[in-house]
Amino acid sequence: MTIRAGWPLIQPQPRLSILIYHRVLSEADPMRPDDPDVETFDRQMRLLARYTRVMALDEAIERLERGDLPRGATAITFDDGYADNYSNALPILQRHGLSATFFVATGFLNGGRMFNDTIIEAVNRAGDGGIHLGELGLGHVPTSGTATRYYAMERITQAVKHLPAQARQQALELLLERVGVPVEGGSPMMTDAQVRGLHEAGMLIGAHTVSHTILRRLDDATALREISDSRDYLSGLLRQPVRFFAYPNGRPGQDYGPRETRLARALGFRAALCIARGGAAPGSDLYQLPRYTPHSPSPVKFLAQLMRCSREEAQAVF
Protein backbone atom coordinates (compact mmCIF):
# COMPACT_ATOMS: atom_id res chain seq x y z
CA MET A 1 0.00 0.00 0.00
CA THR A 2 1.46 3.37 -0.98
CA ILE A 3 1.27 6.33 1.35
CA ARG A 4 -1.01 8.21 -1.05
CA ALA A 5 -3.46 5.30 -1.16
CA GLY A 6 -3.19 4.92 2.61
CA TRP A 7 -4.11 8.49 3.55
CA PRO A 8 -7.60 7.45 4.81
CA LEU A 9 -5.83 5.35 7.46
CA ILE A 10 -3.03 7.85 8.13
CA GLN A 11 -5.44 10.78 8.30
CA PRO A 12 -8.95 9.61 9.31
CA GLN A 13 -10.31 13.18 8.96
CA PRO A 14 -9.16 15.50 6.16
CA ARG A 15 -6.63 18.09 7.29
CA LEU A 16 -4.80 20.79 5.36
CA SER A 17 -1.09 20.67 6.16
CA ILE A 18 0.57 24.01 5.41
CA LEU A 19 4.36 23.89 5.35
CA ILE A 20 6.52 26.93 6.00
CA TYR A 21 9.97 27.61 4.59
CA HIS A 22 12.14 30.70 4.61
CA ARG A 23 15.18 30.01 2.46
CA VAL A 24 16.54 27.38 0.08
CA LEU A 25 20.31 27.64 0.34
CA SER A 26 22.77 26.91 -2.42
CA GLU A 27 24.72 24.90 0.15
CA ALA A 28 24.12 23.90 3.76
CA ASP A 29 24.95 26.51 6.40
CA PRO A 30 25.45 25.46 10.05
CA MET A 31 24.21 28.89 11.14
CA ARG A 32 20.92 28.26 9.33
CA PRO A 33 20.18 24.60 10.13
CA ASP A 34 16.42 24.95 9.58
CA ASP A 35 16.88 26.16 6.00
CA PRO A 36 17.33 23.31 3.51
CA ASP A 37 19.92 23.37 0.76
CA VAL A 38 18.82 22.79 -2.83
CA GLU A 39 19.46 19.04 -2.67
CA THR A 40 17.39 18.58 0.48
CA PHE A 41 14.60 20.83 -0.78
CA ASP A 42 14.46 18.99 -4.10
CA ARG A 43 14.17 15.68 -2.25
CA GLN A 44 11.40 17.03 -0.02
CA MET A 45 9.43 18.39 -2.96
CA ARG A 46 9.77 15.04 -4.74
CA LEU A 47 8.35 13.32 -1.67
CA LEU A 48 5.47 15.80 -1.40
CA ALA A 49 4.62 15.42 -5.07
CA ARG A 50 4.65 11.63 -4.81
CA TYR A 51 2.95 11.03 -1.48
CA THR A 52 0.69 14.04 -0.82
CA ARG A 53 -1.71 16.25 -2.75
CA VAL A 54 0.01 19.61 -3.01
CA MET A 55 -2.51 22.35 -3.72
CA ALA A 56 -2.34 26.08 -4.33
CA LEU A 57 -3.29 27.86 -1.12
CA ASP A 58 -6.36 29.55 -2.58
CA GLU A 59 -7.75 26.27 -3.92
CA ALA A 60 -6.98 24.47 -0.67
CA ILE A 61 -8.84 27.09 1.37
CA GLU A 62 -11.83 27.00 -0.97
CA ARG A 63 -12.05 23.23 -0.61
CA LEU A 64 -11.50 23.44 3.14
CA GLU A 65 -14.54 25.71 3.38
CA ARG A 66 -16.64 23.55 1.05
CA GLY A 67 -15.83 20.45 3.07
CA ASP A 68 -14.40 18.44 0.16
CA LEU A 69 -10.71 18.70 1.04
CA PRO A 70 -8.87 15.54 -0.04
CA ARG A 71 -6.85 13.59 2.48
CA GLY A 72 -3.17 14.36 2.31
CA ALA A 73 -3.84 17.94 1.19
CA THR A 74 -0.70 20.06 1.53
CA ALA A 75 0.18 23.67 0.75
CA ILE A 76 3.71 25.11 0.59
CA THR A 77 4.55 28.59 1.83
CA PHE A 78 7.64 30.78 2.16
CA ASP A 79 8.13 33.76 4.46
CA ASP A 80 10.10 37.01 4.26
CA GLY A 81 11.07 37.37 0.59
CA TYR A 82 14.57 35.97 0.14
CA ALA A 83 16.10 36.05 -3.34
CA ASP A 84 16.87 32.33 -3.19
CA ASN A 85 13.11 31.73 -3.18
CA TYR A 86 13.25 32.88 -6.80
CA SER A 87 16.66 31.56 -7.84
CA ASN A 88 16.70 28.22 -6.00
CA ALA A 89 13.18 27.27 -4.88
CA LEU A 90 11.19 28.27 -7.96
CA PRO A 91 13.02 25.99 -10.45
CA ILE A 92 12.61 23.02 -8.11
CA LEU A 93 8.91 23.72 -7.57
CA GLN A 94 8.42 23.99 -11.33
CA ARG A 95 10.33 20.77 -11.96
CA HIS A 96 7.93 18.89 -9.69
CA GLY A 97 4.81 20.73 -10.90
CA LEU A 98 4.13 22.30 -7.50
CA SER A 99 2.66 25.61 -6.41
CA ALA A 100 3.66 27.72 -3.41
CA THR A 101 2.71 30.99 -1.73
CA PHE A 102 5.40 33.57 -0.91
CA PHE A 103 4.75 36.00 1.95
CA VAL A 104 6.89 39.09 1.43
CA ALA A 105 8.05 41.68 3.98
CA THR A 106 8.09 44.58 1.55
CA GLY A 107 10.44 46.90 3.42
CA PHE A 108 13.40 44.66 2.66
CA LEU A 109 12.92 44.35 -1.10
CA ASN A 110 15.43 45.88 -3.51
CA GLY A 111 18.55 45.85 -1.38
CA GLY A 112 17.37 45.41 2.21
CA ARG A 113 18.59 43.02 4.85
CA MET A 114 16.58 41.40 7.62
CA PHE A 115 17.86 41.74 11.16
CA ASN A 116 18.59 38.04 11.62
CA ASP A 117 20.90 38.00 8.59
CA THR A 118 22.83 40.94 9.98
CA ILE A 119 23.20 39.11 13.30
CA ILE A 120 24.48 35.94 11.63
CA GLU A 121 27.03 37.77 9.54
CA ALA A 122 28.19 39.90 12.46
CA VAL A 123 28.68 36.86 14.68
CA ASN A 124 30.56 35.06 11.91
CA ARG A 125 32.89 38.05 11.57
CA ALA A 126 33.46 38.45 15.31
CA GLY A 127 36.26 35.89 15.39
CA ASP A 128 37.00 33.99 18.57
CA GLY A 129 37.16 36.98 20.91
CA GLY A 130 33.45 37.27 21.59
CA ILE A 131 31.23 40.35 21.71
CA HIS A 132 30.38 42.48 24.72
CA LEU A 133 26.68 43.34 24.64
CA GLY A 134 25.90 44.48 28.16
CA GLU A 135 23.50 47.10 26.82
CA LEU A 136 21.31 44.27 25.51
CA GLY A 137 21.46 42.41 28.81
CA LEU A 138 23.72 39.71 27.40
CA GLY A 139 27.11 40.59 28.89
CA HIS A 140 30.05 38.95 27.13
CA VAL A 141 28.88 36.67 24.31
CA PRO A 142 31.46 34.01 23.30
CA THR A 143 31.92 33.35 19.57
CA SER A 144 34.64 30.71 19.34
CA GLY A 145 33.68 27.70 17.23
CA THR A 146 30.62 26.95 15.11
CA ALA A 147 28.39 25.66 17.92
CA THR A 148 29.25 28.62 20.14
CA ARG A 149 28.59 31.09 17.33
CA TYR A 150 25.22 29.49 16.68
CA TYR A 151 24.32 29.83 20.36
CA ALA A 152 25.51 33.46 20.28
CA MET A 153 23.31 34.14 17.27
CA GLU A 154 20.31 32.60 19.03
CA ARG A 155 20.86 34.69 22.18
CA ILE A 156 21.24 37.96 20.29
CA THR A 157 18.24 37.20 18.09
CA GLN A 158 16.02 36.53 21.07
CA ALA A 159 17.20 39.77 22.69
CA VAL A 160 16.28 41.98 19.74
CA LYS A 161 13.55 40.28 17.68
CA HIS A 162 10.65 41.60 19.76
CA LEU A 163 11.91 45.19 19.87
CA PRO A 164 10.15 47.91 17.89
CA ALA A 165 11.76 48.51 14.50
CA GLN A 166 13.73 51.59 15.56
CA ALA A 167 15.05 50.02 18.77
CA ARG A 168 15.92 46.86 16.88
CA GLN A 169 17.91 48.87 14.34
CA GLN A 170 19.79 50.62 17.14
CA ALA A 171 20.66 47.23 18.64
CA LEU A 172 22.00 46.06 15.28
CA GLU A 173 24.12 49.18 14.94
CA LEU A 174 25.55 48.53 18.41
CA LEU A 175 26.35 44.94 17.41
CA LEU A 176 28.14 46.03 14.24
CA GLU A 177 30.08 48.66 16.18
CA ARG A 178 31.27 46.04 18.70
CA VAL A 179 32.27 43.61 15.97
CA GLY A 180 34.19 46.38 14.24
CA VAL A 181 33.86 44.75 10.83
CA PRO A 182 31.13 45.92 8.45
CA VAL A 183 28.72 43.40 7.01
CA GLU A 184 29.64 43.04 3.36
CA GLY A 185 28.03 41.56 0.28
CA GLY A 186 24.81 42.13 -1.56
CA SER A 187 21.29 41.93 -0.23
CA PRO A 188 19.86 38.43 0.28
CA MET A 189 16.34 39.70 -0.43
CA MET A 190 14.30 39.73 -3.63
CA THR A 191 13.86 42.61 -6.01
CA ASP A 192 10.51 43.80 -7.31
CA ALA A 193 11.28 42.04 -10.59
CA GLN A 194 11.82 38.71 -8.83
CA VAL A 195 8.52 39.04 -6.94
CA ARG A 196 6.81 39.69 -10.24
CA GLY A 197 8.66 36.71 -11.70
CA LEU A 198 7.21 34.41 -9.03
CA HIS A 199 3.75 35.77 -9.75
CA GLU A 200 4.17 35.33 -13.51
CA ALA A 201 5.29 31.74 -12.89
CA GLY A 202 1.89 31.04 -11.30
CA MET A 203 2.92 31.35 -7.65
CA LEU A 204 0.79 33.22 -5.11
CA ILE A 205 2.15 36.31 -3.34
CA GLY A 206 1.02 37.29 0.16
CA ALA A 207 1.68 40.17 2.54
CA HIS A 208 3.97 39.84 5.56
CA THR A 209 4.05 43.45 6.89
CA VAL A 210 6.62 46.07 5.91
CA SER A 211 9.32 45.65 8.55
CA HIS A 212 8.57 42.18 9.97
CA THR A 213 8.03 43.61 13.42
CA ILE A 214 6.00 41.81 16.09
CA LEU A 215 2.50 43.20 15.64
CA ARG A 216 1.35 42.81 19.25
CA ARG A 217 4.10 45.22 20.33
CA LEU A 218 2.70 48.01 18.14
CA ASP A 219 0.00 50.60 18.72
CA ASP A 220 -3.19 50.32 16.68
CA ALA A 221 -2.24 52.82 13.99
CA THR A 222 1.24 51.38 13.43
CA ALA A 223 -0.03 47.80 13.30
CA LEU A 224 -2.64 48.78 10.72
CA ARG A 225 -0.05 50.63 8.66
CA GLU A 226 2.43 47.72 8.72
CA ILE A 227 -0.18 45.34 7.31
CA SER A 228 -1.96 47.64 4.88
CA ASP A 229 1.19 49.22 3.44
CA SER A 230 2.63 45.77 2.74
CA ARG A 231 -0.58 44.72 1.03
CA ASP A 232 -0.84 47.91 -0.99
CA TYR A 233 2.78 47.78 -2.18
CA LEU A 234 2.37 44.23 -3.44
CA SER A 235 -1.02 44.93 -4.99
CA GLY A 236 0.49 47.81 -6.93
CA LEU A 237 3.48 45.74 -7.96
CA LEU A 238 1.37 42.84 -9.21
CA ARG A 239 -1.60 44.93 -10.35
CA GLN A 240 -4.06 42.68 -8.59
CA PRO A 241 -5.42 42.20 -5.05
CA VAL A 242 -3.25 40.45 -2.47
CA ARG A 243 -5.55 38.06 -0.66
CA PHE A 244 -3.37 36.32 1.93
CA PHE A 245 -1.42 37.48 4.97
CA ALA A 246 1.08 35.83 7.34
CA TYR A 247 1.73 37.17 10.85
CA PRO A 248 5.45 37.85 11.48
CA ASN A 249 6.85 35.20 13.81
CA GLY A 250 3.26 34.00 14.03
CA ARG A 251 2.87 32.48 17.49
CA PRO A 252 -0.80 32.69 18.60
CA GLY A 253 -1.32 34.92 21.60
CA GLN A 254 2.32 36.02 21.68
CA ASP A 255 3.11 37.61 18.34
CA TYR A 256 -0.45 38.36 17.28
CA GLY A 257 -3.83 38.37 18.97
CA PRO A 258 -7.52 39.19 18.42
CA ARG A 259 -6.72 42.72 17.25
CA GLU A 260 -4.53 41.40 14.44
CA THR A 261 -7.11 38.89 13.24
CA ARG A 262 -9.70 41.67 13.17
CA LEU A 263 -7.34 43.84 11.14
CA ALA A 264 -6.73 41.03 8.64
CA ARG A 265 -10.49 40.61 8.19
CA ALA A 266 -11.13 44.34 7.94
CA LEU A 267 -8.41 44.80 5.32
CA GLY A 268 -10.07 42.22 3.11
CA PHE A 269 -7.66 39.32 3.29
CA ARG A 270 -9.13 35.96 2.36
CA ALA A 271 -7.12 34.22 5.09
CA ALA A 272 -4.21 34.77 7.48
CA LEU A 273 -1.60 32.24 8.57
CA CYS A 274 0.16 31.68 11.87
CA ILE A 275 2.69 29.20 13.32
CA ALA A 276 1.03 26.28 15.06
CA ARG A 277 1.60 22.55 14.89
CA GLY A 278 -1.04 20.46 13.17
CA GLY A 279 -3.43 20.80 10.25
CA ALA A 280 -6.45 22.92 9.46
CA ALA A 281 -9.81 21.15 9.50
CA PRO A 282 -13.25 22.18 8.22
CA GLY A 283 -14.41 24.93 10.53
CA SER A 284 -10.89 26.13 11.39
CA ASP A 285 -10.49 29.88 11.82
CA LEU A 286 -9.34 31.13 8.40
CA TYR A 287 -7.50 33.98 10.12
CA GLN A 288 -5.41 31.58 12.22
CA LEU A 289 -4.53 28.86 9.74
CA PRO A 290 -1.69 26.78 11.21
CA ARG A 291 1.68 26.15 9.57
CA TYR A 292 4.71 24.11 10.55
CA THR A 293 7.93 22.73 9.09
CA PRO A 294 8.98 19.08 9.10
CA HIS A 295 12.66 19.87 9.71
CA SER A 296 14.37 16.53 9.25
CA PRO A 297 16.64 16.19 6.18
CA SER A 298 16.04 12.42 6.34
CA PRO A 299 13.35 11.41 3.79
CA VAL A 300 11.82 8.83 6.13
CA LYS A 301 11.73 11.21 9.11
CA PHE A 302 10.44 14.04 6.92
CA LEU A 303 7.46 11.95 5.83
CA ALA A 304 6.91 10.67 9.36
CA GLN A 305 6.82 14.21 10.75
CA LEU A 306 4.48 15.30 7.98
CA MET A 307 2.07 12.42 8.57
CA ARG A 308 2.13 12.82 12.35
CA CYS A 309 1.38 16.54 12.20
CA SER A 310 -1.28 16.10 9.52
CA ARG A 311 -3.29 13.85 11.83
CA GLU A 312 -3.55 16.59 14.47
CA GLU A 313 -6.06 19.39 14.31
CA ALA A 314 -4.23 22.52 15.39
CA GLN A 315 -5.76 24.54 18.18
CA ALA A 316 -4.68 28.10 17.40
CA VAL A 317 -6.18 29.94 20.35
CA PHE A 318 -5.13 33.11 22.14
Side-chain angles (χ1 to χ4, degrees):
M1 180 179 67
T2 66
I3 292 179
R4 186 188 288 271
W7 272 109
L9 295 177
I10 295 168
Q11 191 185 72
Q13 299 298 323
R15 302 271 189 268
L16 172 60
S17 297
I18 307 177
L19 305 188
I20 177 175
Y21 291 91
H22 292 84
R23 304 192 63 173
V24 176
L25 306 173
S26 297
E27 57 185 31
D29 184 347
M31 294 293 281
R32 296 177 171 89
D34 293 335
D35 293 320
D37 60 17
V38 290
E39 181 179 351
T40 300
F41 185 72
D42 182 70
R43 183 167 58 245
Q44 291 177 347
M45 296 305 100
R46 187 183 309 117
L47 291 170
L48 291 177
R50 180 177 181 182
Y51 294 118
T52 77
R53 298 187 181 184
V54 177
M55 309 174 72
L57 185 61
D58 51 359
E59 178 189 1
I61 291 174
E62 291 290 342
R63 297 192 64 175
L64 183 69
E65 281 201 302
R66 289 202 309 261
D68 65 352
L69 189 73
R71 288 181 173 85
T74 304
I76 302 166
T77 68
F78 284 80
D79 275 9
D80 300 340
Y82 285 98
D84 55 40
N85 294 181
Y86 179 81
S87 59
N88 292 343
L90 177 60
I92 294 172
L93 291 166
Q94 290 177 316
R95 182 158 61 246
H96 295 288
L98 303 177
S99 176
T101 301
F102 296 81
F103 292 99
V104 179
T106 54
F108 302 104
L109 294 173
N110 305 309
R113 182 182 294 274
M114 293 193 66
F115 76 94
N116 51 295
D117 296 302
T118 298
I119 292 171
I120 289 173
E121 294 198 31
V123 169
N124 280 336
R125 290 176 174 274
D128 294 337
I131 314 169
H132 183 73
L133 295 172
E135 295 89 339
L136 302 182
L138 299 176
H140 181 77
V141 180
T143 56
S144 59
T146 300
T148 303
R149 283 194 292 274
Y150 180 79
Y151 180 57
M153 178 271 293
E154 288 279 281
R155 290 182 63 199
I156 298 170
T157 299
Q158 291 301 317
V160 307
K161 72 185 301 183
H162 295 100
L163 296 175
Q166 183 176 357
R168 189 174 63 196
Q169 182 58 37
Q170 292 172 346
L172 294 179
E173 291 172 0
L174 172 67
L175 172 63
L176 293 175
E177 176 188 328
R178 293 295 159 79
V179 172
V181 180
V183 171
E184 299 175 349
S187 169
M189 312 308 289
M190 282 193 284
T191 63
D192 285 354
Q194 289 172 323
V195 176
R196 281 195 297 264
L198 289 174
H199 171 67
E200 291 165 359
M203 304 296 155
L204 294 176
I205 305 298
H208 197 41
T209 72
V210 174
S211 65
H212 200 279
T213 192
I214 304 302
L215 291 170
R216 286 204 75 185
R217 300 297 181 100
L218 305 179
D219 60 57
D220 291 350
T222 306
L224 173 62
R225 187 166 59 249
E226 278 280 338
I227 302 172
S228 62
D229 285 2
S230 174
R231 178 204 60 182
D232 294 347
Y233 185 97
L234 293 169
S235 295
L237 181 65
L238 304 177
R239 298 183 179 179
Q240 70 172 43
V242 171
R243 304 176 64 210
F244 301 101
F245 176 69
Y247 305 104
N249 224 42
R251 295 173 301 175
Q254 299 180 60
D255 303 316
Y256 75 94
R259 180 190 67 174
E260 285 69 38
T261 63
R262 289 195 298 269
L263 286 174
R265 288 177 185 271
L267 288 169
F269 289 105
R270 179 74 174 84
L273 285 67
C274 66
I275 303 295
R277 187 179 181 87
S284 291
D285 184 351
L286 294 185
Y287 294 89
Q288 294 191 85
L289 289 177
R291 299 186 292 168
Y292 63 93
T293 302
H295 287 293
S296 177
S298 161
V300 173
K301 290 182 179 179
F302 175 82
L303 282 175
Q305 291 172 346
L306 178 66
M307 289 185 288
R308 182 173 64 252
C309 290
S310 72
R311 289 175 61 94
E312 304 170 7
E313 181 179 353
Q315 299 298 319
V317 295
F318 303 116

